[in-house]
Amino acid sequence: MAENRSDNQSNRINKKRPTNSLEKHIRLPRQPRKPEKGDNILYISTKTNIKAQLSRCNKLIHNNESEIIIYCMGAAIQRGILLALQLCEEHTTYKISTNTITTELLDDLEPSVDEADYEIQKRFNSALRIRIFNCHPIKSTSS
């Protein structure tokens, strides 16, 4: 039995893997689609300056914005959560509501060898939609 195991292991090691189409292509990722647009909607990436976004959110709150929506994807989810928690810590009347999303991403595959063609690759990534809203909005009375 010990001999069979070693034979099986050597067979697995010696098998060649099939050539991947990515070896014949250069992957050029496209910008992800933005589901919403507006002044109160933020998109956080790993390169986003959190202090700048925090000050932007504070300006929105001081201008009596009732809700702020933060979108973050993949590795930037942690940064988006951190921003939302900092806002709610500073402004106690604001609460958080989150939704998880799966975002479709498209990549252009440019050929790196002559016999390959241009292709489009579809892949999916996790994303988070964070809604920060005022649970006690100030209602103005009109006379």
Side-chain angles (χ1 to χ4, degrees), residues 90-109:
E90 289 179 22
H91 307 280
T92 56
T93 60
Y94 282 78
K95 302 293 177 199
I96 298 175
S97 172
T98 60
N99 290 36
T100 56
I101 307 167
T102 301
T103 305
E104 180 181 270
L105 301 174
L106 297 175
D107 298 330
D108 292 317
L109 299 178

Side-chain angles (χ1 to χ4, degrees), residues 53-112:
Q53 295 301 323
L54 187 60
S55 66
R56 181 179 170 193
C57 290
N58 283 326
K59 284 181 186 176
L60 289 170
I61 289 171
H62 290 301
N63 290 334
N64 294 327
E65 189 68 48
S66 61
E67 75 175 6
I68 298 169
I69 297 173
I70 300 172
Y71 283 97
C72 42
M73 187 169 63
I77 289 176
Q78 180 180 358
R79 296 171 68 86
I81 292 170
L82 177 68
L83 176 63
L85 290 174
Q86 285 177 344
L87 278 173
C88 288
E89 188 176 313
E90 289 179 22
H91 307 280
T92 56
T93 60
Y94 282 78
K95 302 293 177 199
I96 298 175
S97 172
T98 60
N99 290 36
T100 56
I101 307 167
T102 301
T103 305
E104 180 181 270
L105 301 174
L106 297 175
D107 298 330
D108 292 317
L109 299 178
E110 217 174 71
S112 61

Side-chain angles (χ1 to χ4, degrees), residues 12-81:
R12 277 188 253 147
I13 294 170
N14 292 332
K15 284 186 180 177
K16 288 187 177 180
R17 294 181 181 155
T19 57
N20 193 352
S21 67
L22 291 178
E23 293 173 1
K24 298 178 183 177
H25 293 88
I26 299 169
R27 185 172 62 92
L28 302 170
R30 292 184 187 177
Q31 284 288 106
R33 292 186 186 139
K34 295 186 176 182
E36 297 181 62
K37 292 183 182 179
D39 293 336
N40 64 332
I41 298 171
L42 297 130
Y43 290 91
I44 305 296
S45 71
T46 54
K47 297 177 183 178
T48 303
N49 185 343
I50 295 297
K51 285 186 180 181
Q53 295 301 323
L54 187 60
S55 66
R56 181 179 170 193
C57 290
N58 283 326
K59 284 181 186 176
L60 289 170
I61 289 171
H62 290 301
N63 290 334
N64 294 327
E65 189 68 48
S66 61
E67 75 175 6
I68 298 169
I69 297 173
I70 300 172
Y71 283 97
C72 42
M73 187 169 63
I77 289 176
Q78 180 180 358
R79 296 171 68 86
I81 292 170

